[in-house]
Amino acid sequence: MPVTLNTADADFETRFIEMLSAKREDSTDVHDAVAGIVARVRTEGDLALCELTARFDRLQLDPDGLRITEAEIARQVAKVSAEDRAALELAAERIRAYHERQLPRDESWVDDSGATLGWRWTPVSAAGLYVPGGQAAYPSSVLMNAIPARVAGVERLVVCVPTPDGVLNPLVLLAAQLSGVDEIYRIGGAQAVAAMAYGTETIEPVDKITGPGNAYVAAAKRQVFGRVGIDMIAGPSEVLVIAEGAQNPDWLALDLLAQAEHDADAQSILMTTDPALGHAVAGAVDRILPTLPRAEIAGASWRDYGTIIIVRDLQEAAQLSNRIAPEHLELCVDDPEALSQDCVHAGAIFLGAHTPEAVGDYVSGPNHVLPTARSARFSSGLSVMDFLKRTTLARLTPGALAAIGPAAMRLAASEGLQAHGASVEARLVQLNERQKE
Amino acid sequence: MPVTLNTADADFETRFIEMLSAKREDSTDVHDAVAGIVARVRTEGDLALCELTARFDRLQLDPDGLRITEAEIARQVAKVSAEDRAALELAAERIRAYHERQLPRDESWVDDSGATLGWRWTPVSAAGLYVPGGQAAYPSSVLMNAIPARVAGVERLVVCVPTPDGVLNPLVLLAAQLSGVDEIYRIGGAQAVAAMAYGTETIEPVDKITGPGNAYVAAAKRQVFGRVGIDMIAGPSEVLVIAEGAQNPDWLALDLLAQAEHDADAQSILMTTDPALGHAVAGAVDRILPTLPRAEIAGASWRDYGTIIIVRDLQEAAQLSNRIAPEHLELCVDDPEALSQDCVHAGAIFLGAHTPEAVGDYVSGPNHVLPTARSARFSSGLSVMDFLKRTTLARLTPGALAAIGPAAMRLAASEGLQAHGASVEARLVQLNERQKE
């Protein structure tokens, strides 16, 4: 049995806060190590990339070999089965359709003063997508990162994916191809982030870097932030399932285990109004867990972070959910729409018993790159907006300047910025002189 | 005369890249010092705030004195002249009107599979606004940070503003009052950012921190990013003015000086098709500069970073502008709308001779917190969006799950995530059994 909390217990608040503040990630400070790697890539370029790739990925490369060639991609992609290709194409199409609706509109209007105001959205010119390698080399992540960039209109799309021991992942390459990625490099870690931010002889720099990664990747993104844009610092994944009594315990157990199998640091939480359901789900998890190929990972996650919380009612569930601010929130209740209105801090909400979180990882359409570790309090999943920026526009007529310029002069004076005021005044003086003529 | 470049010169590209890559900020790494301050605030709370404020701001405080009281605010605000108040109110009203148009809409639709998809925007619960103190304590910055937060629907709005030697700024306090700020603390630097991110006995933590600041504030924001959201790492300000021949040289000179007077690290660039205009503007700057109270600062900026670039035509100007990606872009040309279409990387564009950048600092309506140091390539000025986050929503019907679930199972299998696939399969099995009945 995992930890079971009950909001009726006297020590609930203490234990809930304990759960909320539990650090699920190794907190080793890799700042200095990463700073060293970033500095090396900046000064030594391709040479540093080759040496670091040899060291970390056990792969000897010349600078010429950093980029995965079209021929290699074609060879790998040819290995993908028709069924896998069809599934990936369906996912790509649905993700594209969802994200196309996110394109924001430009605005322009004339206000009372006669000023024309507005803004305009334009895409980032070049984006770099980090795709984790090895155990977590997910083709679905390529789609989720690259398609929003393409929908936004990004001209140049780069992928960096480490290939430990030189092993390429055909589905990752196919996903990149389906998404319209322009360049793929077989590098990973902090060195990949540094290369995309600063450029090397072989890799032109990009303007924005997105995608999840380990502690080194996260630290590197943090350090290059400002030089380039980044999406977010992703932590271990989590799901909160809120369920009422009549739900199928096996389904809920599988949803919890689907989260747990990602990573030993992942967290699966069941919140239910029905203690019997909580008990049944815990039993189902115990029964199903040993049958999973990733039983060791899922078991560690469930043992260390799995939690069942018994609540009085759904209002209480929503309040606690808002404090958790879960990355994924499943509402397996009779009226999920109503409950979702009260759940204001969540990355993605899955409504009803026939929307398992796993469909959101692949094919439902919304992005699966979502805010973790309570950051849904202040941030959103990846979207088309991450690859766009907004330029504000203002055009004042002489009349508009006459109407609002004096207030600007007054405020400039109060802030001690005389040239600010004078730049307005010089124009107003001329307007006044013209009026006199 | 400042540096003058001419795109017709053989060494132009070299010199332009030199200008682009010139580091205008002192690059001292304050990471460790800031990490120490953040750690102290986390462990010692209010006590650390009081000690650090005594050290950096020469101000002895008890924890009780950290917050500026309503009575103090009222006393200070009463000192503001009617004219200053009216100017601030006009600015607040115009900023509010502009930002209200930024509120995005929720979306929901049913797709071909029968899935209901969409997203919903919700505000951040609590936001903290950093306002620089001393020389750069700008009431206009309070409006520009606080009003978008309020328009977004943020419930709790906190301001931290250092008050060196205990001196309060009546206009800053009035601006906070007009913007609907709930709490104001007289603390600054990395310690203020740490307090807002982690909370102390006196200060409840917030979810998002915005606002410009010095190197310590920037480093602190970088370090707490992830724990809370932040807006951007702001650097020294810059303006690019693109002008055709018939423009008034004095107006342009004042616009360049308005930027230069902010900070010795600020940069003012004039780009013109007319060498004679470039010469006239340089002369006007030399004439006006000594008359400014901030002549020393503006003079240093103009001497060290001021640049005049002679271009062949406006197409070339737009291309170079996109490489600069200026924070502020003034288009003093005959057809500024047409030229603005080609200027795709800029924080804010000011169109026409009667829209001096200074009106944008105060009263035109768009935000003056804008991306600096070429970051307009990938980021936008502060907006209502910075205080909102998006939750994606999906609800599948049994039919939708039957249609798209098998593709999810296939992709889960290819990624080795068996519980993912099983969570979909368990539901499909039941649907198939029901169909047979």
Side-chain angles (χ1 to χ4, degrees):
Chain A
M1 280 288 285
V3 174
T4 303
L5 308 181
N6 190 319
T7 58
D9 290 346
D11 65 348
F12 173 76
E13 182 62 21
T14 310
R15 296 184 67 195
F16 183 72
I17 287 174
E18 238 170 55
M19 185 201 82
L20 271 191
S21 50
K23 236 184 136 46
R24 286 188 282 132
E25 257 185 319
D26 186 8
S27 63
T28 316
D29 186 357
V30 297
H31 176 272
D32 292 345
V34 166
I37 291 172
V38 172
R40 271 200 70 186
V41 172
R42 286 186 69 175
T43 53
E44 298 168 34
D46 285 346
L47 188 67
L49 292 182
C50 292
E51 285 182 16
L52 293 163
T53 302
R55 193 199 314 168
F56 294 119
D57 296 335
R58 301 166 302 281
L59 177 61
Q60 298 291 338
L61 292 176
D62 290 328
D64 282 354
L66 289 169
R67 182 162 172 183
I68 304 180
T69 64
E70 291 302 318
E72 282 177 287
I73 295 170
R75 260 200 310 278
Q76 293 294 325
V77 160
K79 297 180 189 167
V80 175
S81 72
E83 291 80 2
D84 279 350
R85 174 183 275 272
L88 213 52
E89 284 174 350
L90 176 77
E93 188 190 320
R94 292 186 56 86
I95 294 163
R96 190 172 292 116
Y98 183 91
H99 287 79
E100 276 171 354
R101 292 190 178 241
Q102 292 180 328
L103 280 165
R105 279 183 315 193
D106 298 343
E107 300 285 349
S108 181
W109 66 94
V110 179
D111 76 5
D112 292 346
S113 77
T116 303
L117 301 173
W119 60 80
R120 189 186 295 151
W121 293 94
T122 48
V124 164
S125 293
L129 315 179
Y130 187 83
V131 181
Q135 183 180 278
Y138 295 148
S140 55
S141 286
V142 178
L143 302 182
M144 293 290 182
N145 278 279
I147 291 173
R150 220 19 135 203
V151 169
V154 171
E155 274 173 39
R156 178 174 162 257
L157 252 180
V158 175
V159 161
C160 283
V161 55
T163 59
D165 300 308
V167 180
L168 298 170
N169 182 323
L171 276 169
V172 162
L173 298 177
L174 176 58
Q177 204 177 58
L178 292 176
S179 314
V181 168
D182 299 298
E183 304 160 24
I184 310 176
Y185 299 95
R186 59 188 114 222
I187 54 174
Q191 59 273 25
V193 174
M196 290 194 281
Y198 290 99
T200 68
E201 301 89 326
T202 298
I203 306 177
E204 288 281 310
V206 302
D207 302 302
K208 175 107 188 188
I209 298 176
T210 69
N214 63 17
Y216 287 81
V217 171
K221 283 169 71 179
R222 200 183 280 271
Q223 289 180 28
V224 301
F225 175 47
R227 168 80 186 196
V228 298
I230 64 171
D231 56 336
M232 65 182 80
I233 305 294
S237 197
E238 75 246 354
V239 71
L240 168 61
V241 179
I242 301 180
E244 285 179 313
Q247 297 291 318
N248 183 322
D250 281 12
W251 297 4
L252 302 181
L254 283 164
D255 295 347
L256 297 170
L257 286 169
Q259 201 59 42
E261 74 177 342
H262 270 295
D263 187 345
D265 291 331
Q267 183 167 40
S268 302
I269 306 172
L270 174 70
M271 211 178 265
T272 179
T273 48
D274 181 352
L277 179 69
H279 199 78
V281 171
V285 168
D286 289 344
R287 195 182 74 245
I288 298 166
L289 185 52
T291 71
L292 297 176
R294 293 168 72 92
E296 200 174 328
I297 293 168
S301 158
W302 183 244
R303 179 190 69 230
D304 294 342
Y305 305 113
T307 307
I308 294 176
I309 303 177
I310 311 299
V311 292
R312 288 183 189 85
D313 53 38
L314 294 180
Q315 283 64 46
E316 192 174 60
Q319 284 161 15
L320 294 175
S321 172
N322 287 336
R323 291 175 65 187
I324 295 170
E327 180 190 13
H328 305 103
L329 175 60
E330 258 190 50
L331 303 180
C332 296
V333 298
D334 294 339
D335 188 351
E337 274 80 12
L339 180 56
S340 80
Q341 298 289 339
D342 296 326
C343 297
V344 292
H345 303 316
I349 303 183
F350 303 84
L351 297 96
H354 289 92
T355 317
E357 188 275 328
V359 298
D361 283 342
Y362 299 111
V363 293
S364 62
N367 211 287
H368 82 194
V369 180
L370 292 165
T372 58
R374 303 190 62 217
S375 64
R377 291 174 296 124
F378 55 80
S379 64
S380 312
L382 197 69
S383 80
V384 168
M385 311 289 281
D386 288 290
F387 300 98
L388 295 169
K389 65 271 189 316
R390 189 188 49 247
T391 298
T392 61
L393 300 164
R395 177 168 200 173
L396 269 57
T397 57
L401 186 64
I404 68 176
M409 289 168 56
R410 187 94 208 168
L411 292 169
S414 77
E415 294 184 355
L417 297 174
Q418 178 157 324
H420 280 66
S423 73
V424 176
E425 193 177 18
R427 284 145 165 120
L428 292 181
V429 165
Q430 193 205 56
L431 293 176
N432 287 333
E433 282 168 2
R434 285 206 181 149
Q435 279 194 324
K436 285 181 202 153
E437 282 167 13
Chain B
M1 281 287 284
V3 174
T4 303
L5 309 182
N6 191 317
T7 58
D9 289 347
D11 64 348
F12 172 77
E13 182 62 21
T14 310
R15 296 184 67 195
F16 183 72
I17 287 174
E18 239 170 56
M19 185 200 83
L20 271 191
S21 50
K23 237 185 135 48
R24 286 187 282 132
E25 257 185 321
D26 186 8
S27 62
T28 317
D29 186 357
V30 298
H31 176 273
D32 293 345
V34 166
I37 291 172
V38 172
R40 271 199 69 185
V41 172
R42 286 186 68 175
T43 52
E44 298 168 35
D46 285 346
L47 189 67
L49 292 182
C50 292
E51 286 183 15
L52 293 163
T53 301
R55 193 200 312 169
F56 294 119
D57 295 336
R58 301 165 303 279
L59 177 62
Q60 297 292 340
L61 291 176
D62 291 328
D64 282 353
L66 289 169
R67 182 164 174 181
I68 304 179
T69 64
E70 290 303 317
E72 283 177 286
I73 295 170
R75 261 200 309 280
Q76 293 294 324
V77 160
K79 297 179 189 170
V80 175
S81 72
E83 292 80 1
D84 280 347
R85 174 183 274 272
L88 212 53
E89 283 173 350
L90 175 76
E93 188 190 321
R94 291 186 57 86
I95 295 164
R96 189 173 293 116
Y98 183 91
H99 286 79
E100 276 171 354
R101 291 189 178 242
Q102 292 180 329
L103 279 166
R105 279 184 314 194
D106 297 343
E107 299 286 349
S108 181
W109 66 94
V110 179
D111 75 6
D112 292 346
S113 77
T116 303
L117 301 173
W119 59 80
R120 189 185 295 151
W121 294 93
T122 48
V124 164
S125 294
L129 315 178
Y130 187 84
V131 182
Q135 183 181 276
Y138 296 148
S140 55
S141 286
V142 178
L143 301 181
M144 292 290 182
N145 278 278
I147 290 173
R150 216 26 130 200
V151 169
V154 171
E155 275 173 38
R156 175 172 164 260
L157 252 179
V158 175
V159 161
C160 284
V161 55
T163 58
D165 300 308
V167 180
L168 298 171
N169 182 323
L171 275 169
V172 162
L173 298 176
L174 176 58
Q177 203 177 59
L178 291 176
S179 314
V181 168
D182 300 297
E183 303 160 23
I184 310 177
Y185 299 95
R186 60 187 114 221
I187 54 174
Q191 60 273 25
V193 174
M196 290 194 281
Y198 290 99
T200 68
E201 300 90 326
T202 299
I203 306 177
E204 287 280 311
V206 303
D207 302 302
K208 176 108 188 188
I209 299 176
T210 70
N214 63 16
Y216 286 81
V217 170
K221 283 169 72 179
R222 200 183 281 271
Q223 288 179 28
V224 301
F225 174 47
R227 167 80 186 195
V228 298
I230 64 171
D231 56 338
M232 65 183 81
I233 305 294
S237 197
E238 74 245 357
V239 72
L240 168 61
V241 179
I242 300 180
E244 284 178 314
Q247 297 292 317
N248 183 323
D250 281 11
W251 297 3
L252 302 181
L254 284 164
D255 294 347
L256 297 170
L257 287 168
Q259 201 59 42
E261 75 178 340
H262 270 295
D263 187 345
D265 291 331
Q267 182 166 43
S268 302
I269 306 173
L270 173 70
M271 211 178 267
T272 178
T273 48
D274 182 352
L277 180 68
H279 200 77
V281 170
V285 167
D286 288 345
R287 196 183 73 245
I288 299 166
L289 185 52
T291 71
L292 297 176
R294 293 168 71 93
E296 201 176 326
I297 292 167
S301 158
W302 183 244
R303 181 190 68 230
D304 294 342
Y305 304 113
T307 308
I308 295 177
I309 303 178
I310 310 300
V311 291
R312 288 181 188 86
D313 53 37
L314 294 181
Q315 283 64 46
E316 192 173 59
Q319 284 161 16
L320 294 174
S321 172
N322 287 336
R323 291 175 65 189
I324 295 170
E327 180 190 13
H328 305 103
L329 175 60
E330 257 189 51
L331 304 180
C332 295
V333 297
D334 294 341
D335 188 350
E337 273 80 12
L339 181 56
S340 80
Q341 297 288 340
D342 295 327
C343 296
V344 292
H345 304 315
I349 304 182
F350 303 84
L351 296 97
H354 289 92
T355 318
E357 188 275 327
V359 297
D361 284 341
Y362 299 111
V363 293
S364 62
N367 211 287
H368 82 194
V369 180
L370 292 165
T372 58
R374 305 189 62 220
S375 64
R377 291 174 296 123
F378 55 79
S379 65
S380 312
L382 198 70
S383 81
V384 167
M385 311 289 281
D386 288 290
F387 300 98
L388 295 169
K389 65 271 187 321
R390 189 188 49 248
T391 298
T392 61
L393 300 163
R395 176 167 201 173
L396 270 57
T397 56
L401 186 65
I404 68 175
M409 289 169 56
R410 187 94 207 169
L411 292 169
S414 77
E415 294 185 353
L417 298 173
Q418 178 157 326
H420 281 64
S423 74
V424 176
E425 193 177 17
R427 282 142 166 123
L428 292 181
V429 165
Q430 192 204 57
L431 292 176
N432 287 334
E433 283 168 1
R434 284 209 184 147
Q435 279 193 324
K436 285 182 202 153
E437 281 166 14

